[in-house]
Amino acid sequence: MGLTTMTATPFLSIFRTTHLKYLLSGFCLSMIPLMSAAQTAELPESENRLEALIQQADSGSTIRIGPGTYNVRELLIEKAVTIDGQNSAVLDIGGEGYGLILKGENITLKNFEIKNSGSGFMDDFAAILIEESNNILIQNLTLTNNFFGVFIAKSENVEVTGNTIISNADRQTTSGNGIHMWYSKDVEVHQNEITGHRDGIYLEFVEGGTMTGNRVYSNIRYGLHFMYSDHCSYIDNEFRDNVSGVAVMYTRNVVMQRNLFVQNWGANRYGLLLKEINDSVVENNRFESNSVGIYSEASNRVQIEQNNFTENGTAIRMMANGVDNRIVRNNFFGNVFEVSTNSRSNPNHYEGNYWSQYEGYDLDRDGIGDVEYRPVRLFSLFAERQPLSLIMLRSLMAGLLDTAERIFPVLTPKNLTDPKPSMEPVQ
């Protein structure tokens, strides 16, 4: 039953025909069951009393907001309610402080816009702050021109799905992260569009986070950035044209599957940066037009399998301080350098990859090259130590050096070979 408003005209009509004492007693008795049993409350157009309506609502109620712009600032929601903007309401924070602060259980926000949070690094101002909460759903919102979009702290079972999160900031000091997760568990981030923030998605001390189907592009630092967040997965996401790509650091048991890493081009830009990652999977991803497809440092037991590396500067830059990584059944198409490293030792395993630069043969027609392949070019070692030498990349001398090194390897890692290179792209 919805909350209703009695207008002046019906009230006077009843007053003229009914004794006053019966009118008042009847009116009061009728309002008691109406308020206690309310399941849906309507906030009409242009009435700025959302806070009062939330305070009056019973646990489990739905509050539907009519069209219009409503001023909100640090509106605290502690009870189990659903707030539905019906795809027409706008909550304006006014450039100061937080928007909505959630501290409770079973709260749903959906179908409205929140804009213009405060900004600054002394406080992590956000359109939505979720703190010490459980079973929260943030769905189909548009978050515009906020410092942080959604800030999740010390919470469990939070789902952020189908939202558009946009910032107009032009540098890191004027923007927080699109979706920020800290010290939380079982957070799901699905089907969001995130652009213009410092990091699109950020995780720190998160366990069991799942990110699928997000489109994260043109962010000021990383599209995805997470640290100390074990047992997380990101699947079927698109990370495009973020200044530094994607960074996964100091973490174990991460699953990275079927993502697109594209157009992260420039100095110190990577499709995917792995730093001190252990016991993880990088599988069935596409790395296209990045300065470096995967940069791996001090990472161990990572399975890099069935990925496509296409027209990157360097497909894989594997530092020798990581061990027991397996690079198997990947496709390398038209990369300048297929693999580069910083040592003559190779503690990792390469096998069954397709290399577009492979010039070997397959006499027994079993689909496997009869000659092992050395993917590290001599010139890549020079470029590793002297980046300015890249201006000689297309020179005749660079080609002669690489040819001589393939025939009589002296400087490149002797055991960094693919003993069974695939003659055809791996399906």
Side-chain angles (χ1 to χ4, degrees):
M1 180 182 298
L3 293 182
T4 60
T5 302
M6 182 169 287
T7 62
T9 300
F11 183 89
L12 291 175
S13 176
I14 295 172
F15 179 72
R16 293 190 184 99
T17 59
T18 310
H19 194 276
L20 178 61
K21 65 178 181 180
Y22 296 109
L23 169 64
L24 294 177
S25 62
F27 176 76
C28 292
L29 289 173
S30 67
M31 283 300 294
I32 292 173
L34 176 64
M35 296 297 293
S36 62
Q39 294 299 314
T40 301
E42 301 285 349
L43 182 61
E45 181 178 359
S46 301
E47 290 195 18
N48 246 334
R49 53 188 183 87
L50 179 58
E51 183 174 6
L53 205 56
I54 293 172
Q55 292 174 351
Q56 295 168 8
D58 293 333
S59 180
S61 296
T62 295
I63 298 170
R64 294 194 176 95
I65 311 175
T69 299
Y70 305 85
N71 299 321
V72 297
R73 182 180 174 189
E74 301 186 357
L75 175 55
L76 179 62
I77 303 174
E78 296 180 289
K79 63 177 64 175
V81 295
T82 294
I83 299 178
D84 184 353
Q86 305 179 93
N87 295 314
S88 58
V90 178
L91 307 186
D92 191 344
I93 305 167
E96 295 184 9
Y98 296 89
L100 305 181
I101 300 175
L102 279 54
K103 291 188 176 183
E105 296 185 355
N106 303 313
I107 301 170
T108 295
L109 307 178
K110 62 182 183 179
N111 304 327
F112 57 86
E113 180 181 357
I114 308 179
K115 63 181 183 180
N116 300 329
S117 77
S119 62
F121 284 96
M122 297 302 293
D123 295 285
D124 296 323
F125 293 126
I128 302 169
L129 171 63
I130 303 170
E131 190 171 28
E132 297 179 352
S133 297
N134 189 25
N135 294 330
I136 306 297
L137 174 61
I138 309 299
Q139 184 177 37
N140 195 32
L141 302 185
T142 299
L143 308 181
T144 308
N145 194 32
N146 300 290
F147 191 58
F148 285 83
V150 180
F151 194 111
I152 304 167
K154 297 183 178 179
S155 297
E156 294 187 19
N157 300 311
V158 178
E159 182 176 345
V160 183
T161 185
N163 304 285
T164 300
I165 304 174
I166 302 172
S167 172
N168 297 320
D170 58 358
R171 57 186 184 277
Q172 293 187 34
T173 56
T174 59
S175 179
N177 304 319
I179 300 175
H180 183 105
M181 293 164 267
W182 180 76
Y183 219 91
S184 295
K185 184 177 180 180
D186 298 331
V187 180
E188 298 186 14
V189 178
H190 306 308
Q191 304 293 330
N192 301 282
E193 180 178 347
I194 308 170
T195 185
H197 280 273
R198 182 173 63 208
D199 294 337
I201 303 172
Y202 179 91
L203 299 85
E204 187 173 5
F205 298 110
V206 174
E207 184 177 353
T210 304
M211 290 136 281
T212 67
N214 300 285
R215 184 169 176 258
V216 187
Y217 61 95
S218 300
N219 291 284
I220 299 170
R221 189 170 62 179
Y222 295 110
L224 171 70
H225 183 192
F226 71 85
M227 303 188 294
Y228 312 109
S229 297
D230 298 340
H231 304 287
C232 292
S233 62
Y234 62 96
I235 300 169
D236 293 320
N237 303 284
E238 177 182 336
F239 302 104
R240 180 183 295 271
D241 193 31
N242 299 290
V243 168
S244 297
V246 166
V248 184
M249 304 179 181
Y250 317 116
T251 301
R252 66 177 59 248
N253 296 316
V254 184
V255 175
M256 300 161 265
Q257 295 176 321
R258 300 193 304 272
N259 301 284
L260 173 63
F261 304 85
V262 64
Q263 293 179 0
N264 301 290
W265 197 271
N268 299 318
R269 295 193 185 189
Y270 315 101
L272 173 61
L273 166 64
L274 302 175
K275 184 175 177 63
E276 297 189 34
I277 301 302
N278 298 311
D279 305 303
S280 296
V281 174
V282 181
E283 184 178 58
N284 285 310
N285 302 282
R286 291 164 53 198
F287 298 87
E288 299 178 6
S289 302
N290 304 286
S291 291
V292 178
I294 296 178
Y295 176 91
S296 179
E297 179 178 331
S299 296
N300 308 300
R301 300 176 302 281
V302 178
Q303 184 85 358
I304 301 174
E305 183 172 3
Q306 287 190 290
N307 302 281
N308 286 342
F309 298 89
T310 305
E311 296 183 354
N312 301 281
T314 300
I316 297 178
R317 188 178 180 188
M318 182 71 69
M319 298 296 100
N321 56 358
V323 301
D324 297 329
N325 300 294
R326 289 179 56 82
I327 299 90
V328 297
R329 293 178 53 77
N330 300 280
N331 295 314
F332 295 81
F333 302 105
N335 303 282
V336 177
F337 299 124
E338 292 168 322
V339 176
S340 68
T341 187
N342 61 342
S343 172
R344 291 201 68 212
S345 65
N346 172 42
N348 304 297
H349 180 72
Y350 297 76
E351 185 175 319
N353 302 283
Y354 171 77
W355 312 90
S356 65
Q357 298 181 29
Y358 178 59
E359 298 177 350
Y361 46 84
D362 178 20
L363 296 179
D364 57 6
R365 299 182 181 276
D366 63 353
I368 299 173
D370 296 339
V371 180
E372 66 181 14
Y373 180 61
R374 297 181 177 276
V376 178
R377 292 176 57 181
L378 176 59
F379 198 79
S380 71
L381 296 180
F382 293 153
E384 184 78 30
R385 299 171 185 173
Q386 298 291 334
L388 289 178
S389 65
L390 285 171
I391 62 175
M392 302 290 293
L393 177 63
R394 304 298 181 186
S395 68
L396 177 60
M397 179 176 292
L400 291 174
L401 287 172
D402 287 332
T403 300
E405 183 68 15
R406 281 197 297 269
I407 298 172
F408 301 106
V410 176
L411 298 177
T412 56
K414 290 184 177 180
N415 61 340
L416 202 164
T417 64
D418 185 338
K420 297 180 178 180
S422 176
M423 296 300 295
E424 299 292 336
V426 179
Q427 301 298 319

